[in-house]
Amino acid sequence: MIGSLDQAPEAAVQAALAQATGKTAARDLAREGTLVQLGVLTAFWIYVTVSNLLYAHNMSLSLDPGGRQHLFAAWPARSLQHLLLYPVLLLCVELSLRIGWRPWPQRVPLQAVLALVFALLASPLLGVSEHLLGDSMQLSQPDDRMNMPWQGPQSELPLRIASATNFLLTYGFALALVSGFSLYQRFRDSELRRAALERAWNAARLAALRMQLSPHTLFNLLHTIRGQIAWDPDAAQHMIVQLGDLLRRLLAAGEVEFTPLASEIEFAGLYLGLQQQRFADRLTLSLPDPLTLPGAWVPSLILQPLIENAVVHGLAGHSDPVTISIEAQSDARQLRVVVRNTYGPDIAAGRSGIGLRNVRERLAVHFGGTGTLRAQAEQPGVWAAVVQLPLLREPTAATATASVAT
């Protein structure tokens, strides 16, 4: 895990910043949700007010076409009644949302009390509204007027029950509306958190896959240099300098998601050059001219496991010469990179390991089903690992900046 100690403070700072940003975003979402709930409830109450006024007006015309009797309270009093009920509705709904519904034996009775309090306040507040507006309408008969409980003791109870029932149903609709919207908000927020966690998990997963390559590469190269120290110290010293350059590029490449294809081929050439110094009599390289490469971007270090496999499996089990080549082709939508190596005539074709699994997993995370790796014997004695992925010509600004800085 090269560079993990140096990157620890920076990772801690980034984690703290991410946590603070997450808390701020959560507060913003909660504030936005409260404002939206308030807007929904206000719009609903305006609808209820207008509906009740129109209902009273239409019923009055139906029962008394001449308009000689006052069968319902005047519209100013009814409007003021709903205006006075509005803060009560807000308070009851807020308390209801705080109480919740589970466990139901304790909370359902509290919910019922809140609903009854709101419903039973409707008739008294209508009386308060008429008193404040100075309504002095005289009735021809005490029973002609509806929703006026103080006009007679015999009609008081039925009118109160009717009014309470009406506003109880209204409160139930309001609570159901706000509760449903609250459930929708929680579902939306959970989906946003799930997507954020999935992105963070994918980023951590890719970082882990890249870091898995570093010890493996370093292990192979140190063995290469060790073989040179005893009989060619000058060459070993030169290789150590090259190894330092390789490790610097390796650490820089491990910090970015994408890199130009030319940089990836250059990195592969640096690694293969180190291996060629050890196996100068056996290893032949064929790398593409950087000027002929497509101007594309690829996942960082995506070719490293493939060229390591080409070296290790190509040279293993025989003493014949081995040729390793890299080719890159592209069309309008796809990029195709092929890593080929020859192998001994008596070596059975077929290989698998952590390198190929990492490449396939990284391609799946980045591109889904549009990024593939096919590794098989292309012809007798020639093994080919073919990476096919979408052609990326314009990565994000942050990715481009990070890659250019390396």
Side-chain angles (χ1 to χ4, degrees):
M1 304 292 289
I2 303 170
S4 59
L5 295 179
D6 295 336
Q7 296 171 359
E10 181 181 356
V13 172
Q14 292 178 351
L17 290 175
Q19 185 177 9
T21 303
K23 291 181 179 179
T24 303
R27 287 195 298 268
D28 293 341
L29 285 175
R31 188 180 303 110
E32 178 187 356
T34 301
L35 293 176
V36 174
Q37 285 184 3
L38 180 61
V40 170
L41 199 58
T42 301
F44 171 76
W45 195 243
I46 292 174
Y47 166 77
V48 169
T49 302
V50 174
S51 298
N52 286 348
L53 292 177
L54 292 177
Y55 173 79
H57 177 71
N58 291 335
M59 287 297 296
S60 179
L61 291 179
S62 176
L63 297 176
D64 183 22
R68 295 184 300 272
Q69 298 177 346
H70 300 288
L71 302 178
F72 291 86
W75 71 265
R78 285 188 169 272
S79 300
L80 183 57
Q81 175 200 27
H82 286 78
L83 183 62
L84 295 177
L85 276 173
Y86 177 67
V88 180
L89 176 67
L90 294 181
L91 178 61
C92 291
V93 169
E94 175 65 20
L95 292 176
S96 179
L97 292 178
R98 290 180 180 272
I99 292 173
W101 298 93
R102 295 181 180 180
W104 68 269
Q106 293 82 21
R107 299 188 179 186
V108 170
L110 295 177
Q111 297 282 7
V113 169
L114 287 175
L116 289 175
V117 167
F118 174 80
L120 293 175
L121 282 175
S123 288
L125 287 179
L126 181 58
V128 171
S129 301
E130 292 196 317
H131 178 74
L132 292 176
L133 294 176
D135 187 2
S136 58
M137 294 180 297
Q138 300 295 324
L139 304 180
S140 58
Q141 296 181 7
D143 294 336
D144 285 340
R145 193 167 177 180
M146 299 181 180
N147 291 333
M148 298 292 290
W150 53 89
Q151 289 297 328
Q154 296 179 350
S155 61
E156 180 177 352
L157 183 60
L159 289 177
R160 283 185 179 273
I161 293 176
S163 175
T165 303
N166 176 54
F167 281 95
L168 184 64
L169 294 175
T170 301
Y171 175 80
F173 280 116
L175 184 59
L177 180 64
V178 175
S179 298
F181 185 78
S182 178
L183 289 175
Y184 163 75
Q185 283 185 312
R186 285 203 289 266
F187 173 76
R188 181 201 62 182
D189 294 344
S190 65
E191 286 296 304
L192 291 176
R193 287 193 294 268
R194 184 191 64 80
L197 289 174
E198 185 175 354
R199 288 193 298 269
W201 179 77
N202 283 337
R205 182 180 173 191
L206 290 172
L209 291 175
R210 287 197 299 269
M211 294 309 294
Q212 286 177 9
L213 305 177
S214 302
H216 190 48
T217 300
L218 179 61
F219 179 79
N220 289 338
L221 293 177
L222 287 177
H223 273 280
T224 301
I225 295 174
R226 186 186 65 177
Q228 297 284 345
I229 292 176
W231 60 278
D232 195 347
D234 292 337
Q237 185 177 6
H238 180 65
M239 292 178 68
I240 289 175
V241 174
Q242 289 182 293
L243 177 60
D245 187 26
L246 180 69
L247 293 179
R248 179 182 63 82
R249 291 171 174 263
L250 188 63
L251 290 175
E255 296 176 355
V256 296
E257 295 291 340
F258 290 87
T259 187
L261 177 60
S263 298
E264 187 74 6
I265 298 295
E266 183 181 359
F267 180 84
L270 185 60
Y271 171 82
L272 291 173
L274 284 170
Q275 296 289 5
Q276 191 178 35
Q277 292 188 46
R278 181 182 179 186
F279 303 102
D281 57 335
R282 297 186 57 197
L283 189 57
T284 302
L285 305 179
S286 176
L287 302 180
D289 186 351
L291 298 179
T292 64
L293 291 174
W297 291 67
V298 296
S300 179
L301 300 177
I302 197 68
L303 297 182
Q304 184 62 27
L306 304 182
I307 61 175
E308 288 187 33
N309 277 349
V311 172
V312 173
H313 295 285
L315 295 172
H318 68 100
S319 57
D320 298 335
V322 173
T323 299
I324 297 177
S325 65
I326 300 178
E327 295 180 4
Q329 304 169 351
S330 67
D331 53 27
R333 301 179 60 182
Q334 295 287 327
L335 174 66
R336 185 171 179 267
V337 182
V338 184
V339 178
R340 291 186 178 89
N341 68 274
T342 58
Y343 58 92
D346 297 330
I347 304 300
R351 67 186 66 162
S352 62
I354 186 172
L356 296 181
R357 287 198 302 271
N358 282 349
V359 172
R360 287 193 174 96
E361 195 169 352
R362 290 186 62 193
L363 290 173
V365 171
H366 280 302
F367 307 109
T370 60
T372 60
L373 168 64
R374 187 179 73 256
Q376 61 186 17
E378 193 174 54
Q379 60 186 23
V382 178
W383 183 269
V386 182
V387 176
Q388 189 162 339
L389 64 157
L391 183 64
L392 302 179
R393 294 193 180 275
E394 296 181 0
T396 63
T399 302
T401 302
S403 298
V404 172
T406 62

